[in-house]
Amino acid sequence: MFKNHLKIAWRSLKKQPFFTFLNTFGLAVGMAGALLIALYIYDELNYDKMFADAERIHRINADIKFGGEAMFSAEASAPMAEALKNDFAQVENSTRIRNQGSRLTRKENNTANIKEANTAYADVNFFEFFGLELIEGNPKTALEEPNTLVLTKTAAAKHFPSGKVVGETMILSNNETFRVTGVMEDLPKNSMLRDHGIFMAMAGYEDAWEGAWGSHNYFTFIKMIPGTDINEFQAPLQSMFGTYVVPYVQRYFPGITEEQFLASGNYFNFSTIPLTDIHLNSNAFVELSANSSIQNIYILSFIGLFLILLASVNFMNLSTAHSLKRAKEVGVRKTLGSNKSDLIRQFLTESGLVSFISLLLAIILASLFLPYFNDLAGKSIGIPFDSFNFWLIILVLTVLLSLFSGSYPAFFMSRFMPVKVLKGGGSNEVGGSAIRNSLVVFQFAISVLLIIGTIVVFQQLNFIQNKDLGFSKDQVLVINDVFTLDEQAETFKKEVERIPQVSSSTLSGYLPTPSSRSNTSFFQEGAEEQESAINMQQWFVDHDYMATLDLEILAGRDFSREFKTDSTAMILNETTVSVLGVSPEEVIGMRISGDLGEDDPQFYTVIGVVKNFHYASLRDRIGSLSMVLGNSTSRLSIKLNTSDLPGAIASIEQVWNKLAPGQPFDYYFLDESFNQTYEAEQRLGKIFIIFTLLSILIACLGLFGLAAFNAEKRTKEIGVRKVMGAKISQIAYRLTLDFLKLVGIAILIALPLGYFAMSKWLEDFTYRITIGIEVFVFAALIAVVIAIITVSYQSIKAAVVNPVKSLRTE
């Protein structure tokens, strides 16, 4: 019987190629889009699950407020890991990672450096802790001795393209000598350590062995013994504050108690986060690598689900629209003895056949567009054709989809009364208009919702890119690793400033773009109580920093070479002044020191107040900041005054090559660095556009199908109206108006949902847009225009038919 149903289904599909194409194409587009989204989500949800015992590994977080500054840190103090392992039986093991960012590296006998983008110090048990094997070397001893390191396979091939690797000597940052003790496989792209190429022995990093409980620079991981309830561990973990942190703080504030610390409005809370939750649920001050957001997963999950639902609804509408052409077939089959269940099985077989053909087409489409999707999403995912589970899941879901999509058309068409349809009078008696209209409303409500989402995402991105950040980021070229010039760094700066295309330049360590920084506690002269402490960042800059970045001085003055005393001068931002509780004018002349507990502290004299500028993400508020003169030569920032950027860069590179032959000329533009901070939002915006267009396409196919159904159902009415003198434009208008009412209902449903959803998304940003009425007007206008264009074809087609033919149809 099934074989017979299959033959009939195939013949039926072949007899109506255009209808079959619309149905198959709509389902295939929806399935392909959902498949790509599912692969993306699967990859995101599997971050860091490749590590051994990943379900038992947790990272220590520190949520701190002190000196007017609050900070949620993913890093802990150096002694935390060892103390946790020693003090708590629940902790099976612990390890630390100290991120070092980019480093210049070379083989011992080479003079030319190669830049390694991400490096880190790691404890001796690092490989054993995470279950990482080495291609060469012993994982238990590879990081045992100071000044040893392990390379990833890619890094080893880059530095030692041929020949021996283990035992070779490498020079880092031109002044540190390391011996290669191992080579490891590259870490997967869905790992927190995916971009790291070098792991150096923590044994040789002096700071790692100092008992500084107040400094947080180490990513600390603990592995709990099997069966431990991590929630019950939170209270014992918090006891570390009173046991270790408070005694350390007492060095600087003698006699202070935990109660006094908390009573002054400060707090110091430790917590844990599962290793496998970090990528989607952690947004700490500093992370090992860029994280995503669980909100993005929810958004993409809904989009994928909506695509499938839209495709299913589209199938239902097109099937019911075509049903009147098969009414007599149903009548004849019922007259010849077919019962309702036979007809339902027949129509479900057709639905299943269309679904499986769509599945094949969807896999082809997904395979073709996967490289572009990977580029868009910054992924390297693939379709797991060799996975049994993949095929099992996708086949089961296709069967369920065919049952869901085909159920309504099957029951709808099997209801036809043979007497009515064979007499030609059954078309108008066939119900279901409320359901079909509801389906169209659902489709367009989803489409409008996605249009609103797309508009808001791009408005926020445009707001970020055009917001007054308080500094000039345009045409600022940044040269990295200027420290390799040693004493010639200042010479390089002066020679660059002689180039006509250069307005000014500045040597500094920090720039106003998000990066890893740490705060320091300061106090006013004569106010050394912990209640009076100021927790702020300290940047070392030169005399030209303010001018090059166009920072605005609100009170006092900038650093000047005319004042020798400026070597101990300090400039504060507005946030710091507000924490001090004085006005910008009143803070001038105040003496501030960061040497807590020292017998002879060095004091800085405040000479100026700079207007607040954004030096972190717009998700975060502007924190306290101070700037002092210092010999920091990490990078040279150059303000250009020309449109010939390639020519200016070439001139600067010539100066670099003269002073630093063989050293990599590494540069970037400040605005590009700023935009990279919001790369995740930019990718989300592009993904929104693509899948919004897909949803609109599928919704239009559904509307097209219902318009065809409606026009066919009202053939006699149209003929009578034309005989009575109605114009083509009047008939087309009447037919179109019915669908615009449905679109209007969809818009009314989608607008509040869109406002709520996107308001929640914007909450992640401290500085954000306000969703204006123009967003909803524009989204509604797009939906109406698309609906008119889609329906007009069927409306005009029905209106121009000869009334004689229209009346004959009855």
Side-chain angles (χ1 to χ4, degrees):
M1 181 63 72
F2 175 73
K3 186 177 180 181
N4 185 51
H5 285 326
L6 200 59
K7 285 183 179 179
I8 295 172
W10 180 249
R11 289 172 187 165
S12 175
L13 295 178
K14 285 176 65 178
K15 281 168 55 179
Q16 44 203 359
F18 183 65
F19 161 78
T20 301
F21 168 76
L22 287 180
N23 253 340
T24 305
F25 181 71
L27 268 180
V29 169
M31 292 168 78
L35 176 58
L36 291 175
I37 289 176
L39 291 171
Y40 178 91
I41 292 174
Y42 180 79
D43 183 77
E44 289 283 288
L45 293 177
N46 278 276
Y47 256 75
D48 298 316
K49 289 186 177 180
M50 74 290 299
F51 294 120
D53 304 317
E55 72 283 354
R56 294 196 284 128
I57 298 176
H58 301 262
R59 189 187 71 194
I60 303 297
N61 294 330
D63 188 12
I64 305 167
K65 182 183 179 183
F66 183 71
E69 278 293 297
M71 177 182 69
F72 186 80
S73 175
E75 297 172 304
S77 56
M80 173 67 84
E82 189 67 21
L84 287 170
K85 188 168 69 171
N86 293 336
D87 292 3
F88 299 106
Q90 306 98 309
V91 179
E92 179 183 297
N93 205 350
S94 63
T95 196
R96 301 170 300 172
I97 300 170
R98 176 71 159 93
N99 220 16
Q100 290 293 290
S102 63
R103 300 287 290 269
L104 292 176
T105 59
R106 58 184 170 87
K107 291 193 292 186
E108 184 178 25
N109 297 322
N110 284 7
T111 56
N113 280 305
I114 298 175
K115 187 156 189 173
E116 197 65 49
N118 290 279
T119 65
Y121 283 100
D123 274 325
V124 63
N125 67 340
F126 168 74
F127 299 109
E128 182 182 8
F129 185 93
F130 288 106
L132 298 171
E133 297 294 330
L134 297 187
I135 302 172
E136 297 181 51
N138 186 339
K140 293 183 178 180
T141 61
L143 298 179
E144 193 172 49
E145 298 178 12
N147 297 94
T148 56
L149 60 78
V150 172
L151 301 171
T152 61
K153 188 176 180 180
T154 297
K158 180 166 52 177
H159 295 286
F160 304 94
S162 60
K164 182 184 174 185
V165 178
V166 173
E168 293 295 307
T169 300
M170 296 187 67
I171 309 298
L172 273 63
S173 302
N174 284 337
N175 58 6
E176 297 178 72
T177 302
F178 285 82
R179 180 168 53 88
V180 181
T181 53
V183 178
M184 63 185 291
E185 287 286 355
D186 292 339
L187 288 158
K189 290 297 182 183
N190 58 347
S191 158
M192 62 179 176
L193 299 169
R194 58 189 176 274
D195 298 323
H196 285 71
I198 297 179
F199 294 94
M200 301 165 288
M202 193 81 76
Y205 192 63
E206 291 184 7
D207 178 74
W209 310 106
E210 297 177 0
W213 281 92
S215 179
H216 293 72
N217 297 300
Y218 295 82
F219 293 96
T220 301
F221 298 88
I222 55 174
K223 183 180 293 185
M224 311 303 290
I225 62 172
T228 301
D229 186 344
I230 194 64
N231 293 319
E232 294 180 358
F233 181 68
Q234 302 306 310
L237 174 63
Q238 184 57 29
S239 69
M240 302 286 284
F241 173 64
T243 305
Y244 293 103
V245 179
V246 171
Y248 179 81
V249 174
Q250 287 173 347
R251 298 182 189 178
Y252 306 100
F253 302 106
I256 187 174
T257 64
E258 183 175 350
E259 292 72 21
Q260 289 172 331
F261 180 87
L262 298 175
S264 61
N266 298 319
Y267 54 77
F268 204 119
N269 300 321
F270 291 117
S271 62
T272 62
I273 182 172
L275 172 67
T276 53
D277 286 356
I278 291 174
H279 180 66
L280 294 176
N281 294 283
S282 180
N283 185 27
F285 178 64
V286 177
E287 297 281 356
L288 262 175
S289 57
N291 287 340
S292 185
S293 167
I294 193 65
Q295 277 195 354
N296 292 346
I297 298 301
Y298 292 148
I299 291 171
L300 290 174
S301 298
F302 281 120
I303 291 176
L305 179 62
F306 289 155
L307 283 175
I308 288 293
L309 290 176
L310 289 174
S312 299
V313 168
N314 174 64
F315 180 90
M316 295 176 190
N317 274 340
L318 288 173
S319 296
T320 53
H322 196 75
S323 62
L324 294 183
K325 293 184 180 180
R326 301 187 65 180
K328 288 188 177 181
E329 174 194 338
V330 173
V332 170
R333 294 183 66 177
K334 279 194 170 184
T335 303
L336 294 176
S338 292
N339 55 40
K340 187 175 181 180
S341 60
D342 287 334
L343 291 170
I344 290 174
R345 281 193 292 270
Q346 175 60 53
F347 292 130
L348 285 176
T349 302
E350 291 183 18
S351 169
L353 185 58
V354 170
S355 295
F356 277 94
I357 293 173
S358 299
L359 172 62
L360 294 175
L361 182 57
I363 291 175
I364 293 172
L365 289 173
S367 299
L368 289 174
F369 288 99
L370 186 58
Y372 304 101
F373 182 76
N374 275 332
D375 184 59
L376 176 69
K379 294 283 186 182
S380 57
I381 54 180
I383 300 176
F385 290 114
D386 57 346
S387 170
F388 172 79
N389 289 337
F390 168 75
W391 289 110
L392 178 64
I393 292 170
I394 205 168
L395 289 175
V396 169
L397 291 177
T398 302
V399 170
L400 293 176
L401 178 64
S402 68
L403 292 174
F404 176 75
S405 303
S407 57
Y408 172 60
F411 284 98
F412 174 80
M413 289 188 283
S414 65
R415 288 191 321 165
F416 290 176
M417 301 298 293
V419 176
K420 292 182 179 180
V421 296
L422 290 175
K423 289 173 66 176
S427 62
N428 291 327
E429 285 77 10
V430 175
S433 61
I435 295 177
R436 289 190 298 276
N437 291 344
S438 299
L439 294 177
V440 170
V441 170
F442 173 78
Q443 282 186 309
F444 266 83
I446 298 303
S447 298
V448 173
L449 185 63
L450 291 177
I451 291 171
I452 291 171
T454 302
I455 294 172
V456 171
V457 168
F458 276 91
Q459 277 194 341
Q460 177 65 15
L461 288 174
N462 185 63
F463 170 78
I464 289 170
Q465 290 167 349
N466 294 288
K467 178 175 169 41
D468 180 11
L469 302 172
F471 68 93
S472 173
K473 68 180 189 300
D474 298 324
Q475 287 203 303
V476 176
L477 182 73
V478 182
I479 312 297
N480 283 322
D481 308 315
V482 179
F483 66 86
T484 59
L485 297 172
D486 295 324
E487 290 79 13
Q488 295 191 89
E490 192 65 36
T491 303
F492 176 60
K493 178 180 186 294
K494 291 178 179 178
E495 292 204 22
V496 164
E497 289 178 343
R498 293 193 186 101
I499 298 172
Q501 300 98 320
V502 173
S503 296
S504 64
S505 68
T506 178
L507 285 165
S508 65
Y510 290 129
L511 289 171
T513 52
S515 64
S516 175
R517 308 183 182 102
S518 59
N519 284 14
T520 303
S521 294
F522 290 81
F523 62 92
Q524 302 176 49
E525 186 176 25
E528 299 184 16
E529 307 81 13
Q530 60 101 13
E531 293 87 352
S532 303
I534 314 156
N535 200 29
M536 63 180 173
Q537 294 187 23
Q538 185 179 46
W539 293 8
F540 292 97
V541 301
D542 68 5
H543 295 87
D544 303 310
Y545 192 84
M546 308 285 177
T548 301
L549 296 179
D550 291 333
L551 298 176
E552 182 181 347
I553 297 292
L554 294 179
R557 61 176 177 83
D558 191 0
F559 297 114
S560 173
R561 291 180 176 86
E562 296 179 3
F563 295 90
K564 300 300 182 184
T565 54
D566 276 5
S567 59
T568 57
M570 176 180 281
I571 294 177
L572 306 177
N573 71 347
E574 290 179 275
T575 302
T576 310
V577 174
S578 66
V579 171
L580 289 168
V582 296
S583 69
E585 291 74 20
E586 291 171 332
V587 80
I588 304 301
M590 185 178 290
R591 283 160 56 82
I592 294 176
S593 176
D595 296 334
L596 292 173
E598 298 291 334
D599 294 332
D600 185 24
Q602 177 187 355
F603 281 92
Y604 292 96
T605 302
V606 179
I607 64 167
V609 176
V610 65
K611 182 179 179 181
N612 271 351
F613 60 93
H614 293 274
Y615 57 84
S617 168
L618 289 179
R619 301 183 189 92
D620 308 317
R621 71 176 189 86
I622 300 173
S624 298
L625 170 69
S626 65
M627 287 179 277
V628 296
L629 291 176
N631 186 28
S632 180
T633 58
S634 296
R635 51 185 62 88
L636 180 70
S637 302
I638 306 165
K639 182 71 173 179
L640 302 176
N641 57 18
T642 177
S643 58
D644 182 19
L645 298 180
I649 293 171
S651 299
I652 295 169
E653 186 174 11
Q654 285 181 359
V655 177
W656 175 269
N657 290 335
K658 182 179 69 173
L659 297 175
Q663 303 301 327
F665 181 65
D666 183 33
Y667 68 90
Y668 63 89
F669 281 95
L670 191 58
D671 57 346
E672 293 175 354
S673 175
F674 179 83
N675 292 335
Q676 285 175 0
T677 307
Y678 306 97
E679 188 175 1
E681 286 77 16
Q682 291 169 350
R683 292 186 188 280
L684 181 65
K686 293 174 183 177
I687 290 173
F688 248 118
I689 285 182
I690 290 175
F691 289 109
T692 298
L693 291 175
L694 288 181
S695 72
I696 291 172
L697 172 63
I698 296 170
C700 287
L701 289 174
L703 191 62
F704 184 85
L706 191 57
F709 174 88
N710 191 54
E712 187 171 5
K713 188 176 179 180
R714 299 173 67 176
T715 301
K716 184 177 180 180
E717 176 195 338
I718 293 170
V720 171
R721 288 181 180 277
K722 290 194 72 174
V723 169
M724 299 297 293
K727 297 179 181 178
I728 292 175
S729 59
Q730 292 174 322
I731 295 172
Y733 169 77
R734 181 172 289 274
L735 292 174
T736 304
L737 184 63
D738 293 338
F739 295 103
L740 289 182
K741 292 177 182 177
L742 299 178
V743 174
I745 295 172
I747 291 170
L748 292 176
I749 293 172
L751 294 187
L753 291 176
Y755 178 81
F756 173 77
M758 297 317 296
S759 294
K760 292 292 290 182
W761 180 77
L762 286 170
E763 286 178 2
D764 277 352
F765 297 87
T766 302
Y767 304 92
R768 54 183 178 263
I769 62 167
T770 299
I771 303 177
I773 188 68
E774 70 280 356
V775 172
F776 306 110
V777 172
F778 190 55
L781 185 62
I782 291 175
V784 169
V785 170
I786 290 172
I788 291 174
I789 293 173
T790 304
V791 174
S792 295
Y793 171 76
Q794 287 291 353
S795 299
I796 295 172
K797 179 183 175 183
V800 298
V801 173
N802 191 321
V804 176
K805 292 183 179 180
S806 299
L807 294 173
R808 277 181 183 172
T809 62
E810 297 292 333

